[in-house]
């Protein structure tokens, strides 16, 4: 039985891959900020690795788009970035986006960069690269909105 996809993640993935293949700029993109070809290829390859790991299409689609956003913010090749560049990226994410999205983007980038530096067996290695090891989720219980029963009525 075919799964019903009301969010059209297949179309979103096609669109995201099209943007990445064109290095971040297409006729339909609202953000006209290109990324390097090497960064685009690395993000696409990471998406393939995540697919082989059995990650859902929705997760992969979100991850690739968040990595595209991070690449645009960094504005240089991942291989040439320093810890200071990543600190600046995190500050920009925190300023532009909600706590939830910034937190998710940080963790997605942290795992991506671990794969980028350590290769396909990155899941077997417990240590993150020093450039991103300091990144934390950034959302504690106090940041999460709690809904009380009285709020619903």
């Amino acid at each position: 039985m075919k799964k019903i996809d009301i969010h059209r993640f297949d179309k979103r993935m096609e669109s995201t891959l099209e943007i990445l293949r064109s290095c971040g700029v297409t006729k339909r993109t609202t953000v006209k900020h290109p990324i390097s070809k090497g960064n685009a290829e690395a993000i696409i390859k990471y998406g393939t690795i995540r697919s082989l790991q059995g990650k859902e299409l929705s997760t992969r689609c979100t991850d690739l788009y968040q990595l595209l956003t991070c690449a645009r913010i960094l504005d240089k090749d991942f291989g040439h970035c320093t810890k200071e560049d990543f600190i600046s990226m995190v500050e920009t994410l925190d300023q532009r986006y909600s706590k939830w999205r910034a937190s998710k983007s940080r963790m997605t980038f942290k795992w991506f960069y671990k794969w980028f530096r350590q290769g396909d067996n990155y899941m077997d290695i417990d240590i993150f690269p020093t450039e991103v090891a300091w990144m934390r989720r950034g959302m504690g219980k106090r940041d999460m909105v709690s809904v009380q029963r009285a709020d619903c009525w």
Side-chain angles (χ1 to χ4, degrees):
M1 183 174 187
K2 189 176 178 188
K3 215 175 174 181
I4 297 174
D5 181 12
I6 62 170
H7 301 289
R8 301 179 60 187
F9 284 114
D10 54 341
K11 298 284 185 194
R12 286 188 192 186
M13 181 59 90
E14 286 176 27
S15 176
T16 302
L17 289 173
E18 178 187 336
I19 292 168
L20 286 167
R21 286 188 196 107
S22 64
C23 295
V25 179
T26 64
K27 292 177 185 174
R28 294 184 301 174
T29 54
T30 56
V31 179
K32 303 291 186 197
H33 188 78
I35 64 171
S36 73
K37 187 167 181 64
N39 285 356
E41 289 172 355
I43 293 170
I44 292 170
K45 187 173 179 187
Y46 183 69
T48 304
I49 297 296
R50 300 286 281 171
S51 176
L52 295 173
Q53 291 172 343
K55 297 298 178 187
E56 289 288 332
L57 180 61
S58 58
T59 302
R60 291 182 319 212
C61 185
T62 304
D63 287 355
L64 294 186
Y65 200 79
Q66 288 173 344
L67 291 170
L68 173 63
T69 300
C70 291
R72 284 178 170 153
I73 291 170
L74 285 169
D75 200 25
K76 59 169 42 170
D77 281 335
F78 296 133
H80 296 110
C81 290
T82 63
K83 183 177 178 179
E84 289 73 27
D85 296 324
F86 296 134
I87 290 171
S88 175
M89 178 193 73
V90 167
E91 288 172 347
T92 304
L93 287 170
D94 288 342
Q95 290 170 0
R96 288 187 189 171
Y97 302 107
S98 68
K99 286 183 181 184
W100 178 257
R101 175 154 182 206
S103 170
K104 176 74 172 125
S105 294
R106 278 194 302 272
M107 291 303 93
T108 299
F109 187 81
K110 185 175 180 177
W111 280 98
F112 164 78
Y113 197 73
K114 182 178 181 183
W115 166 81
F116 183 77
R117 298 280 280 176
Q118 297 172 347
D120 292 338
N121 64 341
Y122 74 107
M123 296 295 273
D124 300 332
I125 302 169
D126 291 336
I127 300 170
F128 283 92
T130 57
E131 297 92 342
V132 296
W134 57 272
M135 287 185 190
R136 298 290 178 258
R137 194 173 101 215
M139 277 192 61
K141 288 190 178 190
R142 65 175 181 206
D143 296 323
M144 295 181 193
V145 178
S146 67
V147 178
Q148 304 297 323
R149 185 173 179 87
D151 297 336
C152 298
W153 307 110

